[in-house]
Amino acid sequence: MLAAVLREFNTPLRAEQIDQPVAGAGQVLVRVVASGVPLDTKIQAGKAPHARIELPAVLGLDLAGVVAALGPEVTGFELGDEVYGLTGGVGDLQGSLAEYAAVDARLLARKPRTLSMRAAAALPLAVITSWEGLVDRAGVSAGQKVLVHGGAGGVGHVGVQLALARGAEVYATGAPASMGVIESLGAVPIDYTSTSVEEYVGRYTAGEGFDIIADNVGGATLDASFAAVRTYHGHVVSALGWGSHSLAPLSFRGASYSGVFTLLPMLTGHGREHHGEILREAATLADAGALRPRLDPRRFTLDTVMDAHALVAGATSAGKVIVDIDG
C-alpha cells in the first residue's frame, strides 16, 4: 500500500510502498479515506517527545474511512461501516497517512451520518481533548459560564460547541481576526490583545470569575486562567500545561486544575474504550447539528503531504487541514 513515511526527524515525509497491515485480535482494518493533520507537524520536526514515536513511522493521528476487514474478537462493527477515530501516529501505532490502517476497535466509532469523510477526520483529536477537559474533568453543565481560550482554533472551536451543546454560557478569547469566527459559533468573543484579564472578568462575571476555563494555548494563557477562574468552585482544564507555573493565583481562589493528555490511552493501552464512547457521543451531537468542524478548503494527497504540513506550521490555515487518501 502507499503511505507517507517518516524515516528521520526533521526530514520530509515521503510517499512510498510498504506492506499492508493485517487486522489482529481486537483490531479493525480501515481503508483510510481522509487523514487529519493536528499534531503531525511537531512529531515530524522532532518537537513532540511526549508522542514517543518509533522510526521509521507512518504519521497521522485522526482518520475517517471504511471497515475493510475485522480481526478476531471484534464486535460492534461490520464490513463497509464508515468509521472515524484518533487511532495512530504515536508510539508504535501506525498512523492514518496510508491507504490502510489496522487499528484498535476500541478507538473507533461510526462516523456521523451528516458529515463527509473529510469533516469527520477533522474531529477526533479535538473532540476527545475537549470532552475529557470540559465533560470528564470539569463536568460542564447548563447555566455555567465557560471561557475557552483559543476559541477559533482546532481544539477551541470544538470546545465552544461542546460547551454550548451542554447548555453553558460560553465566552472565547482570540485575536482580532478570529472574532467573527467565535461569534459565528455562538460564543461571546473576547479580543485578548486589547482586553486585560481583569477587564473581561469584571465585564462578564462581575469579578467573580468563570466557572470553567478551557486552556488550549498554554504558557502565559494558562497563568491568566488561574487568575480568571471562579472563587471556590472554579475549574481550569488545560491540554498544554507542560511548563512551569505558579499555582498561587489558583490556590488563593480555592479553585481546581486538571490536565488533559489525550494521547495517553494510545500510548499505554489503558482507557481506549472511553475514546470510542466519546466519539459515539460526538457523532450524535454532529447529527443533531450541534457540532461542525471548520475545514480548510485546500486539498492535499499523500504526494503533497508536506504542503499540508507547511500550511499547518505556518498557522495560516482557515480550519482543520485534511489529507485525502482515497475516494
Side-chain angles (χ1 to χ4, degrees), residues 13-307:
L13 278 70
R14 299 196 181 280
E16 54 186 76
Q17 291 289 331
I18 64 173
D19 292 338
Q20 181 176 311
V22 176
Q27 291 185 322
V28 172
L29 182 68
V30 178
R31 176 174 62 81
V32 183
V33 175
S35 172
V37 185
L39 185 63
D40 300 10
T41 56
K42 292 182 179 179
I43 296 175
Q44 179 263 335
K47 297 179 179 178
H50 59 286
R52 301 205 293 269
I53 198 76
E54 299 177 8
L55 300 180
V58 176
L59 302 188
L61 279 77
D62 291 340
L63 67 71
V66 179
V67 174
L70 301 173
E73 304 172 17
V74 172
T75 60
F77 294 103
E78 298 179 359
L79 296 181
D81 280 348
E82 295 183 335
V83 294
Y84 75 136
L86 173 66
T87 60
V90 298
D92 60 355
L93 303 179
Q94 182 211 301
S96 56
L97 288 172
E99 292 179 314
Y100 289 88
V103 304
D104 190 326
R106 296 174 294 175
L107 297 171
L108 289 171
R110 289 184 176 85
K111 84 167 185 65
R113 297 185 306 276
T114 56
L115 296 186
S116 68
M117 287 287 190
R118 285 171 53 80
L123 279 177
L125 177 66
V127 79
I128 292 171
T129 301
S130 295
W131 189 285
E132 289 189 347
L134 289 166
V135 180
D136 291 344
R137 308 292 196 277
V140 61
S141 60
Q144 291 182 312
K145 289 191 174 185
V146 174
L147 175 64
V148 177
H149 286 304
V155 175
H157 86 286
V158 170
V160 166
Q161 295 177 79
L162 178 57
L164 286 169
R166 295 180 72 86
E169 184 178 328
V170 183
Y171 304 79
T173 62
S178 66
M179 295 295 96
V181 171
I182 290 171
E183 191 169 16
S184 71
L185 294 170
V188 176
I190 299 172
D191 179 358
Y192 74 88
T193 68
S194 63
T195 311
S196 70
V197 175
E198 292 77 12
E199 287 173 335
Y200 65 68
V201 169
R203 183 181 307 167
Y204 298 118
T205 74
E208 291 294 323
F210 295 90
D211 296 295
I212 299 172
I213 300 179
D215 164 48
N216 302 300
V217 181
T221 302
L222 180 53
D223 292 324
S225 301
F226 292 160
V229 69
R230 187 178 183 87
T231 303
Y232 294 123
H233 303 296
H235 201 140
V236 176
V237 295
S238 178
L240 291 170
W242 302 336
S244 297
H245 300 271
S246 171
L247 294 178
L250 184 75
S251 298
F252 288 146
R253 301 181 80 86
S256 302
Y257 168 79
S258 294
V260 175
F261 185 25
T262 316
L263 305 182
L264 195 60
M266 301 164 70
L267 293 170
T268 66
H270 300 299
R272 291 182 177 180
E273 298 89 346
H274 190 46
H275 277 199
E277 293 168 354
I278 293 170
L279 292 172
R280 288 191 288 274
E281 295 278 0
T284 299
L285 287 176
D287 288 336
L291 181 60
R292 286 290 183 274
R294 296 181 63 229
L295 297 182
D296 189 282
R298 284 161 281 197
R299 308 294 288 249
F300 303 94
T301 66
L302 288 174
D303 290 319
T304 59
V305 68
M306 291 311 299
D307 294 332

